[in-house]
Amino acid sequence: MRKADREIKDFNEVVDVLERCDTIRIGIFGEEYPYVVPLSFGYEVIDNKIILYVHGAKEGKKHDLIGRNSKVCIEADICHRFTDTGHSVTREYESIIGYGEAVKVFDQEAIKGLELLVAHCGFDGYPINEEALKVMTIYQITLEYVTGKRRFV
């Protein structure tokens, strides 16, 4: 990281940033260009690993590209404000970037992933319609590497 003084080194602080984000962006190997898509997500932490859950249709570009190469990059950020430093304008922010592999999950793991997703979206305890699972794919992404960064003036 070029600006090491901005790195979030404490794992729990990285998780805190993720908790306060409402969207992640997932970068997928594309055909000619990278493909990035914003997604709602749920997550859990097991043995100091962040495990993300995202969902999508059973068909489409995201689904096809992950089928070809399941290695992904995720990004999440919080823009707190733009501010005048006296000599320029800058942004106060917190962000994370992580790398992992998107793996389809099924049955109880898919239900758990969807429960975590709707809980993170503010609907903890919302009943999961198992019929809806028939038309969607739930992906689990275990972040093998994650880093955080923040800047406050």
Side-chain angles (χ1 to χ4, degrees), residues 135-153:
V135 296
M136 69 174 69
T137 300
I138 308 296
Y139 291 99
Q140 178 189 73
I141 303 166
T142 300
L143 298 183
E144 296 303 322
Y145 176 77
V146 64
T147 187
K149 191 173 179 181
R150 67 168 49 109
R151 178 170 193 198
F152 291 106
V153 176

Side-chain angles (χ1 to χ4, degrees), residues 77-119:
D77 60 83
I78 305 164
C79 178
H80 293 286
R81 69 180 183 140
F82 292 92
T83 187
D84 182 349
T85 66
H87 56 83
S88 69
V89 174
T90 191
R91 178 176 122 153
E92 293 186 341
Y93 68 90
E94 296 173 279
S95 65
I96 67 165
I97 294 180
Y99 303 91
E101 187 170 352
V103 176
K104 290 181 197 177
V105 292
F106 304 93
D107 304 320
Q108 288 306 115
E109 191 69 18
I111 292 169
K112 177 178 85 170
L114 203 50
E115 288 172 343
L116 289 167
L117 191 152
V118 297

Side-chain angles (χ1 to χ4, degrees), residues 14-75:
V14 170
V15 172
D16 177 62
V17 172
L18 181 65
E19 174 63 29
R20 290 181 286 122
C21 291
D22 58 11
T23 303
I24 61 170
R25 287 152 202 88
I26 181 171
I28 307 166
F29 286 93
E31 294 150 346
E32 185 177 356
Y33 297 100
Y35 183 67
V36 178
V37 61
L39 296 169
S40 301
F41 69 98
Y43 76 95
E44 62 184 345
V45 176
I46 298 176
D47 297 329
N48 282 332
K49 292 273 188 181
I50 296 172
I51 302 165
L52 299 164
Y53 293 89
V54 298
H55 77 297
K58 288 193 175 290
E59 56 187 35
K61 187 169 189 167
K62 175 178 60 189
H63 179 75
D64 292 345
L65 292 176
I66 289 173
R68 291 184 202 139
N69 188 334
S70 59
K71 292 184 179 182
V72 299
C73 175
I74 66 95
E75 185 276 346

Side-chain angles (χ1 to χ4, degrees), residues 112-137:
K112 177 178 85 170
L114 203 50
E115 288 172 343
L116 289 167
L117 191 152
V118 297
H120 186 73
C121 293
F123 291 90
D124 193 20
Y126 194 83
I128 300 301
N129 178 347
E130 292 188 35
E131 287 297 309
L133 287 172
K134 293 179 181 176
V135 296
M136 69 174 69
T137 300

